Amino acid sequence: MTTAQAPQGAQGLRAGLIGLGSMGRHHARVLAGLDGVQFTGVVDPMGDKNGWAQGVPVLSEVDELIAHGIDYAVVACPTALHEEVGLKLAAAGVGALIEKPVADTVEGARRLVQEFESRGLVAGVGHIERCNPALRSLRQRLEAGELGDVYQVVTRRQGPFPHRIADVGVVKDLATHDIDLTGWVTGQTYTSISARTVSKSGRPHEDMVSAVGQLSDGTMVNHLVNWLSPLKERFTSVTGEKGCFIADTLTADLTFYSNAAQATEWEALQAFRGVAEGDMIRYAIPKREPLLVEHELFRDAVLGKSDDICTLRQGLRTVEVAAAVLESASVGSTVSLVDRERQGHDG
């Protein structure tokens, strides 16, 4: 992603918000108090019936917000509108932080990548799990080699059906969290995926998915995601040579279970590598609000001070994997992602 230095007014960057629903209201709250940013307006055709706009003007059209002279906008409208809204912002030279998934189709995501990148605009995707304290700590520890070789990533994301979601199923709404965080914490890409879905709630979209995949370094991944459980769970485990990390992103806790197996110099036994229960460590992690961290990182990216965001191209990759999950469930076989990754980079 290329970056462009946005003009900065006397009161900082001017930011707008598109969509004032259940997620948009939280963006409005954070934007209203974000250092170095002036929250200038909201677009929502339904108005501010719940009083979530933090006192800024509430507009009906994206063009009205653009006319205010904003430096960037947060796109929190329904997924089906992301492409249309994003293309308007790109054409106007306005950066964008687009809620996940970046678009509801692979083709739409590719068009957004092309339009923002070709203009050198800063744009990102709100994959908020990247800002969860437990996962940020986990990623740093993996990069430092604390786990050694990584063997497997397992995620479970389940809970009751969220009535706010009507336009996509559980794969695009929830599984995209796990697809993105898995690639992000490991630094790898998906090479294949096999999945099964079910629909039990009477809605047109799937509400449960189980997927098995492989990453570019051979790591195996398992995802279980559903809207059918009264138990709310956000679980990520990474198992490797030296033990296992467990991240609970509901509580932002990170725990390490070490492999206590001792290395041996006895040549006859070196071919066997055992596993034994070792120490358990629960890390003390500063627990800042992930959404605030996400906004701070994006603000700094617009200012050219950081590149620690989920780029549109990375968001495109997640949409490609999600599409492969649905394709695999439809045809009943494993789907390869190697050629699609090459096509995405070439596009």
Side-chain angles (χ1 to χ4, degrees), residues 36-332:
V37 171
Q38 181 185 0
F39 186 26
T40 63
V42 174
V43 175
D44 196 310
M46 301 295 291
D48 185 21
K49 57 185 179 180
N50 296 302
W52 291 337
Q54 304 294 320
V56 303
V58 180
L59 312 169
S60 299
E61 301 291 340
V62 174
D63 292 337
E64 296 179 68
L65 182 64
I66 292 172
H68 273 244
I70 56 174
D71 298 311
Y72 72 91
V74 178
V75 179
C77 54
T79 303
L81 300 176
H82 285 187
E83 181 187 355
E84 175 187 347
V85 170
L87 292 178
K88 281 189 176 183
L89 294 171
V94 175
L97 173 59
I98 303 174
E99 263 299 339
K100 63 83 202 164
V102 61
D104 62 346
T105 66
V106 172
E107 296 75 19
R110 286 178 181 155
R111 283 189 285 270
L112 287 171
V113 170
Q114 170 62 29
E115 293 305 307
F116 279 97
E117 286 190 352
S118 66
R119 291 171 170 83
L121 296 169
V122 177
V125 187
H127 280 292
I128 197 168
E129 293 286 43
R130 294 190 180 204
C131 300
N132 187 284
L135 292 177
R136 291 184 74 82
S137 178
L138 170 56
R139 182 174 187 252
Q140 291 168 357
R141 295 177 185 281
L142 292 180
E143 288 178 337
E146 293 184 21
L147 197 60
D149 291 338
V150 176
Y151 303 151
Q152 182 185 47
V153 179
V154 175
T155 69
R156 297 195 302 270
R157 185 175 298 267
Q158 53 188 345
F161 171 67
H163 295 285
R164 64 183 176 84
I165 300 297
D167 58 338
V168 295
V170 76
V171 170
K172 291 183 180 179
D173 183 64
L174 282 189
T176 48
H177 279 302
D178 295 312
I179 293 166
D180 179 75
L181 76 84
T182 296
W184 180 70
V185 299
T186 62
Q188 304 298 318
T189 58
Y190 286 74
T191 58
S192 65
I193 198 81
S194 179
R196 297 293 182 271
T197 60
V198 297
S199 298
K200 296 292 186 180
S201 62
R203 298 170 62 253
H205 302 290
E206 79 290 341
D207 41 40
M208 174 180 283
V209 60
S210 179
V212 178
Q214 188 172 47
L215 303 182
S216 47
D217 65 349
T219 296
M220 180 171 66
V221 299
N222 300 78
H223 301 309
L224 176 62
V225 190
N226 76 69
W227 280 329
L228 300 176
S229 171
L231 167 68
K232 188 172 183 180
E233 184 179 33
R234 301 289 185 267
F235 170 95
T236 300
S237 74
V238 183
T239 302
E241 178 184 7
K242 299 179 182 179
C244 177
F245 282 110
I246 303 291
D248 183 337
T249 53
L250 282 177
T251 60
D253 289 324
L254 179 65
T255 306
F256 178 61
Y257 296 83
S258 70
N259 176 10
Q262 299 296 314
T264 177
E265 296 180 359
W266 187 5
E267 185 176 354
L269 297 179
Q270 283 182 349
F272 175 76
R273 292 182 294 178
V275 176
E277 184 178 1
D279 295 333
M280 183 190 78
I281 303 170
R282 180 176 171 182
Y283 298 102
I285 305 170
K287 297 181 179 181
R288 303 185 66 223
E289 182 187 3
L291 189 63
L292 174 58
V293 174
E294 179 180 271
H295 274 271
E296 290 175 344
L297 293 173
F298 189 76
R299 172 203 62 198
D300 292 347
V302 174
L303 293 172
K305 297 179 179 179
S306 171
D307 60 358
D308 189 7
I309 63 173
C310 177
T311 66
L312 292 193
R313 190 167 288 275
Q314 291 167 343
L316 161 62
R317 183 60 177 164
T318 295
V319 172
E320 289 175 336
V321 177
V325 168
L326 292 172
E327 179 184 342
S328 172
S330 175
V331 301

